[in-house]
Amino acid sequence: MSSPVSPDHTPPTRHEQQAPREQDRRGGIVDRLGLNWRLHGDGRHVAPGDVVTPRERLAWPRTISIGAQHVVAMFGATFLVPLLTGFPPATTLFFSGIGTVLFLVITAGRVPSYLGSSFAFIAPITASVNQYGPGGALGGVIMAGAALFLIGLLVQIAGTGWLQKLMPPAVTGTIVALIGFNLAPSAKENFTAAPVTALVTLGSIILISVLFRGLLGRLSILLGVAIGYVTAVIRGEVDFTSIRAAWDAQGLFGLPHFQSPEFHLNLAGLFIPVILVLVAENIGHVKSVALMTGDDLDPYTGRAIMSDGLATMIAGSGGGSGTTTYAENIGVMAATRVYSTAAYWVAALVAILLSVTPVFGAAVATVPQGVLGGAATVLYGMIGMLGVRIWVQNRVDFSNPVNLTTAAIAMIVGIGDYTWSFAGLDFAGIALGTAAALVVYHLMAGIARARGSVGSDPLTPDTSQSPSPLG
């Protein structure tokens, strides 16, 4: 007769045998999605010289407060793009939140970033809306997103070396600069519509950026827009009827306005050059975060670009503007020393929540032309000067005629908004300027190297003078 089995040695049931494997599987999924954060220290303090890494988090109340700061940091720029292009602000905010979630999942929580509206899309959207309406512009956004995804896939497979050869700093800086300066007529149009309000907005942005330190200084555009808006209200330039209409139609909560895209092949030349700016922004973002955290994020550069491409395609499919990684949020991370992607999940969810509040979106849409003109005068110029910054940081040698001629021709084509029609396709200033930069540079550089007709290699920085002639 066998003795009874001791309760301590009861054989595990089939369910109990499967449980650890299911937990491991769930844990593996959570880890791959980047949702498995370690608590940093006691969750309340960050020691001097220490940082909270992307895979760590503070206690949830502190994480939520930092996530709210990220919302504030991205808010002004993300809303200005739809206001300037005529897209529904709430829809753009909704897709920026969705895009950020997608970015965090695809990069496995390794790259902290918020995907907000890209200023690089303002010029092509404005031009295409005038010709084909919002639907045509959305089709162009999707085309740009698809091209960006393919670039990201190539970077993930082959690295970034080929990109650096195709677009050296002389070319990249030129393209970024001409995209910003191409927008100057649009800024002027809005400014002259209400010059007093525009001047108050512009002056406020200038003063706030130098009067305040830290987060307030970085929010100069948002605060300047707020002061300009109050000025516009006092001057009777704001129509509040849309806010009441939104409340009567949808109440407190309601989905943003979605719209289907239309595809016109001749817009490809207008939108696809924008991806050169987005690629530069994504690579710069990844490198900046890697430098500040000490992590090797190079393996995730391709994923970051692919994520931005997918997010842009999804936004264009429903009525939102193209996205990009936001430098504004890098400033928040540098100030707080918290690089946790948990904070970005909070920011994305808050953005989605705000986007389904119709009154909020309607209120933002009431920002008048004068306020937009004042803000755009700064923003469009900043985009252009980012290109100049690329030249300076990389010490581009403009005594070399290859670099000088490339920038000279492309900038005039872009700023003058040259247009060329060929085989039923229209190529406007940005597209032609981009093509000119690439063709002129590589053609001249190739001939110069073959003939030995130009002194130095255009890729070699000018070190003959110290400091650099460009500062």
Side-chain angles (χ1 to χ4, degrees), residues 194 197 225-243 362-372:
T197 301
V225 167
I227 294 172
Y229 188 86
V230 172
T231 303
V233 171
I234 294 174
R235 293 176 57 81
E237 298 170 355
V238 181
D239 182 5
F240 293 104
T241 56
S242 60
I243 300 176
V364 173
T366 62
V367 176
Q369 276 186 290
V371 177
L372 298 179

Side-chain angles (χ1 to χ4, degrees), residues 119 122-124 126 178-188 380 383 430:
F119 291 127
I122 295 175
T126 302
L178 69 85
I179 286 176
F181 296 139
N182 176 266
L183 295 165
S186 175
K188 179 185 176 183
Y380 296 169
I383 298 171
I430 292 178

Side-chain angles (χ1 to χ4, degrees), residues 93-103 311 314 348 352:
L93 184 62
F94 175 82
F95 284 112
S96 77
I98 296 296
T100 299
V101 169
L102 181 67
F103 183 95
I314 292 172
I352 293 172

Side-chain angles (χ1 to χ4, degrees), residues 214-286:
L215 184 60
L216 282 179
R218 287 193 294 272
L219 294 178
S220 60
I221 292 176
L222 176 62
L223 296 176
V225 167
I227 294 172
Y229 188 86
V230 172
T231 303
V233 171
I234 294 174
R235 293 176 57 81
E237 298 170 355
V238 181
D239 182 5
F240 293 104
T241 56
S242 60
I243 300 176
R244 181 66 184 179
W247 175 265
D248 292 340
Q250 293 181 282
L252 183 59
F253 294 106
L255 288 174
H257 174 72
F258 297 118
Q259 181 165 341
S260 300
E262 301 172 4
F263 294 94
H264 303 276
L265 186 59
N266 61 336
L267 292 179
L270 192 61
F271 278 88
I272 290 180
V274 168
I275 70 172
L276 302 180
V277 181
L278 305 183
V279 168
E281 288 176 337
N282 275 276
I283 292 176
H285 185 101
V286 173

Side-chain angles (χ1 to χ4, degrees), residues 109-127:
R110 304 282 182 175
V111 184
S113 180
Y114 190 90
L115 292 190
S117 306
S118 171
F119 291 127
F121 281 97
I122 295 175
I125 287 177
T126 302

